[in-house]
Amino acid sequence: MNLVYVNCPRCEETFYVDPEFFEVPDAYCHCPYCAHEFSVYRQRSA
Amino acid sequence: MSADLQSFLAFWEERHPEDVVRIAQPVQARYQVTALATKLEREKRFPILVFENVRTEAGEPSAFPLVTYLMSSRRRLAELMQAPAERLGIITYERSHQRRQPVVVKRAQAPVKEVVARGDEIDLTKLPALVHHDMDPGPYISGGFLTCYHPEYGTDNSALHRGWIHGPREIRVLLEASTHNGHIFALHERRREDLRVAYWVGAHPLVILGCETRIPLTDSHFAAAGGMLGQPLRLVPSETLGDDFLVPADAEFVIEGHLMAGKRRPEGPFGEYTRYSGPQRWNPYLEVTAVTHRAGAHWYDLMVGHSHCLGSLTREGAAYEKVRRAVPTITNVYAPMSGCGQFHLYLQIDKLVEGSSKIALVEALTSHHLVKHAWVFDTDVDIFDEQQVMQAFATRFQGDRDIVVLPGLPAPTLDPSRPSELGTKTGFDCTKPVDPRRFARKLSVPQDVMEKIDLENFIPRDRLTNIPYERYG
Ligand SMILES: [Zn+2]
């Protein structure tokens, strides 16, 4: 399963997303815990 | 008999009152129903659960009862199909080839039209849809069939697709490109057209079994459901998708709308059949145009990530058929829940020819992309008893000699161990040599002695039940 863990910048909870969120410019993540929406585009560390 | 969820519940409750549990106590849609189902599953009990007082994610009491665990008992489905539980996959598969063309009824004859909401009247947050597991972002449609029509063939396609209820009129849908519905959506997106779709929720268990059957894109799922049910499915024109868009008239709920072409929103994470959460994805969403339901409709939930027979029966039937063409002496097959009901197959063959067991493995492993591991056993192994399965694996299998490895084949998307799109399928030949003189004899006590010894003559039943049960046997 292709997944990357992310931290919500608002509530700091951890969840995971498909790597496509790091590659698609207009894709944004939705925190399942606090509903905060944020971009991780090109943020993936090597 | 009317073929719908509530008439089935009434029929079954009269016949087996012990197998339908109605819970009047208030429960929260968020986690509580899943917690209760999890505890029952640990006890290996799968009654149909009817929750009559569910508090929605918004904290309000829902007007609709919730039904779950409907498809979780192999015993129950076997009785319904008038089949032995051990043959259920094979018999379901055989019956899945039958077709009954659906009939179209007028709106007045369709219970699902008893209540109709359009536009601003629609509020999906009033449904008792569950938030099943930690990390799920909100309430999900888990047991709803998503139906659309192929633009060229005109055939209906129905499949279970998870849908996150995101607000009063939006549903975000997992629609993988490899699925038939995903393919039909792609055809529309290429023409920049939204796709007309309807979720329908709550049906007779045989309709659910029939619709879940894997069939070609040119075949009607509604006709397959009728074949499984033994009577035609009743369809009715939609409210907002045109009269040519037909939906099941006897469903509990129908949710109509459009999958928006070229648009994506985050969907998931969601606890899946693998008993792991799948990652959040950038998925299409549905703008809802109408919700219709029965007066007193029951919401239906499929307890994903817990025992249910939908995938396993399909895996068993398809594998049996494919293996049988090459190895006619296959006697049975089982897709156990320990393999998520999908990844593992236990085959049983009457081995007459050396090597036929390995052929059976290759056929079973390639019977579906979700099958990852297969084991083959002799007829003296009860493949429904995992103690016997593991015992035969321990004593009849050698890693260098009895293994079949098929690397570089499409792997299940939701398998957490999947290295890439391609994975490895592995088969384990746990059969003895054909010549019995080349293998040790299994322990046995002479049959006449076994038959004459009655345990309760030596240890009375009440004394027996007081002896501690050993988990680590
Ligand atoms: Zn958050």
Side-chain angles (χ1 to χ4, degrees):
Chain A
M1 195 166 12
N2 230 351
L3 55 87
V4 185
Y5 278 82
V6 294
N7 287 312
C8 170
R10 185 159 86 189
C11 72
E12 296 181 346
E13 285 281 0
T14 303
F15 63 102
Y16 46 75
V17 302
D18 191 282
E20 66 190 337
F21 285 86
F22 294 81
E23 292 143 20
V24 179
D26 58 346
Y28 55 89
C29 306
H30 176 108
C31 173
Y33 297 99
C34 75
H36 180 56
E37 290 178 337
F38 58 97
S39 172
V40 291
Y41 178 55
R42 285 186 171 170
Q43 284 180 24
R44 194 176 182 179
S45 56
Chain B
M1 194 183 109
S2 179
D4 60 77
L5 175 61
Q6 290 193 53
S7 57
F8 169 75
L9 281 178
F11 159 75
W12 199 257
E13 201 167 8
E14 194 183 328
R15 196 160 165 173
H16 293 292
E18 74 288 354
D19 203 28
V20 179
V21 177
R22 292 183 180 274
I23 295 170
Q25 280 169 272
V27 286
Q28 306 282 351
R30 179 172 280 265
Y31 306 147
Q32 284 192 347
V33 173
T34 312
L36 212 142
T38 303
K39 294 201 170 183
L40 274 171
E41 184 180 35
R42 285 180 190 156
E43 295 204 10
K44 290 185 81 70
R45 296 181 207 276
F46 301 101
I48 301 169
L49 295 169
V50 185
F51 292 91
E52 293 170 339
N53 191 354
V54 181
R55 290 205 169 254
T56 66
E57 179 66 347
E60 303 292 327
S62 177
F64 309 106
L66 167 97
V67 177
T68 192
Y69 264 3
L70 182 71
M71 309 302 286
S72 294
S73 162
R74 192 179 181 106
R75 162 194 55 77
R76 184 165 57 239
L77 291 175
E79 186 179 331
L80 192 58
M81 293 278 285
Q82 297 177 307
E86 291 79 9
R87 309 291 293 173
L88 188 59
I90 297 162
I91 287 168
T92 303
Y93 183 78
E94 284 167 1
R95 217 195 281 184
S96 76
H97 296 303
Q98 296 177 16
R99 296 287 180 272
R100 289 275 182 106
Q101 290 309 314
V103 295
V104 180
V105 301
K106 292 193 165 65
R107 283 180 170 77
Q109 297 168 314
V112 78
K113 301 288 192 183
E114 283 166 356
V115 181
V116 177
R118 300 159 179 260
D120 289 346
E121 298 161 353
I122 300 165
D123 188 357
L124 300 173
T125 67
K126 291 193 182 322
L127 298 170
L130 299 182
V131 185
H132 295 85
H133 298 101
D134 184 33
M135 206 156 78
D136 288 5
Y140 262 78
I141 299 172
S142 61
F145 281 95
L146 189 72
T147 291
C148 64
Y149 287 81
H150 193 282
E152 285 143 44
Y153 310 141
T155 44
D156 61 275
N157 190 68
S158 294
L160 293 169
H161 287 267
R162 73 190 199 199
W164 170 21
I165 295 176
H166 187 274
R169 285 184 293 281
E170 181 185 318
I171 303 169
R172 301 185 180 178
V173 185
L174 173 61
L175 201 71
E176 291 187 270
S178 58
T179 63
H180 284 175
N181 277 340
H183 169 72
I184 294 170
F185 183 50
L187 292 177
H188 281 73
E189 279 201 307
R190 215 176 284 163
R191 304 193 301 220
R192 297 200 174 101
E193 285 173 11
D194 300 336
L195 176 65
R196 298 178 299 162
V197 295
Y199 265 113
W200 49 279
V201 180
H204 190 283
L206 294 185
V207 172
I208 295 173
L209 264 187
C211 257
E212 184 53 7
T213 304
R214 296 284 181 274
I215 55 177
L217 206 46
T218 46
D219 256 17
S220 160
H221 281 257
F222 290 150
M228 191 67 73
L229 188 62
Q231 67 186 69
L233 212 63
R234 299 181 342 126
L235 303 177
V236 64
S238 71
E239 288 302 299
T240 54
L241 305 176
D243 281 351
D244 61 331
F245 195 106
L246 300 168
V247 296
D250 293 306
E252 296 293 311
F253 291 86
V254 168
I255 302 170
E256 302 176 7
H258 295 92
L259 269 175
M260 308 308 287
K263 293 183 180 172
R264 298 290 186 273
R265 286 181 177 165
E267 182 278 321
F270 185 69
E272 274 290 355
Y273 71 91
T274 52
R275 300 185 189 237
Y276 291 87
S277 290
Q280 187 165 94
R281 291 190 173 150
W282 191 234
N283 269 327
Y285 62 95
L286 165 59
E287 280 188 4
V288 176
T289 52
V291 175
T292 76
H293 63 83
R294 290 167 171 264
H298 285 35
W299 183 254
Y300 166 66
D301 169 83
L302 178 68
M303 197 45 79
V304 184
H306 300 263
S307 294
H308 68 76
C309 302
L310 277 178
S312 53
L313 296 179
T314 313
R315 287 299 81 71
E316 290 167 18
Y320 182 83
E321 193 53 40
K322 190 158 187 287
V323 173
R324 192 174 61 163
R325 278 185 227 134
V327 183
T329 55
I330 179 172
T331 48
N332 215 340
V333 56
Y334 179 42
M337 281 317 299
S338 56
C340 318
Q342 307 268 17
F343 291 173
H344 287 177
L345 289 174
Y346 300 156
L347 311 170
Q348 188 192 55
I349 66 167
D350 185 6
K351 185 168 145 185
L352 302 177
V353 182
E354 289 301 346
S356 60
S357 43
K358 286 205 178 66
I359 291 171
L361 288 173
V362 172
E363 296 295 335
L365 288 168
T366 52
S367 63
H368 194 274
H369 80 277
L370 289 180
V371 179
K372 186 178 164 188
H373 300 138
W375 288 256
V376 58
F377 302 98
D378 301 297
T379 53
D380 65 333
V381 176
D382 177 357
I383 56 171
F384 294 88
D385 179 348
E386 289 196 315
Q387 176 74 27
Q388 289 195 34
V389 160
M390 282 292 126
Q391 224 268 325
F393 189 20
T395 56
R396 300 182 187 184
F397 172 84
Q398 288 293 316
D400 61 336
R401 180 192 67 192
D402 299 321
I403 202 155
V404 172
V405 182
L406 306 176
L409 292 175
T413 319
L414 290 168
D415 175 4
S417 73
R418 181 176 105 137
S420 70
E421 284 181 6
L422 304 178
T424 302
K425 295 174 182 286
T426 311
F428 306 90
D429 184 351
C430 306
T431 58
K432 296 181 290 185
V434 173
D435 180 355
R437 288 166 303 179
R438 289 178 48 214
F439 205 78
R441 274 167 61 173
K442 211 172 165 182
L443 289 184
S444 67
V445 175
Q447 200 177 343
D448 61 316
V449 179
M450 279 301 281
E451 282 167 7
K452 276 180 197 151
I453 289 284
D454 183 350
L455 193 56
E456 289 184 36
N457 283 343
F458 296 83
I459 311 172
R461 175 56 54 184
D462 57 342
R463 179 72 186 85
L464 207 54
T465 49
N466 282 335
I467 298 171
Y469 172 80
E470 297 292 342
R471 184 181 172 193
Y472 311 101

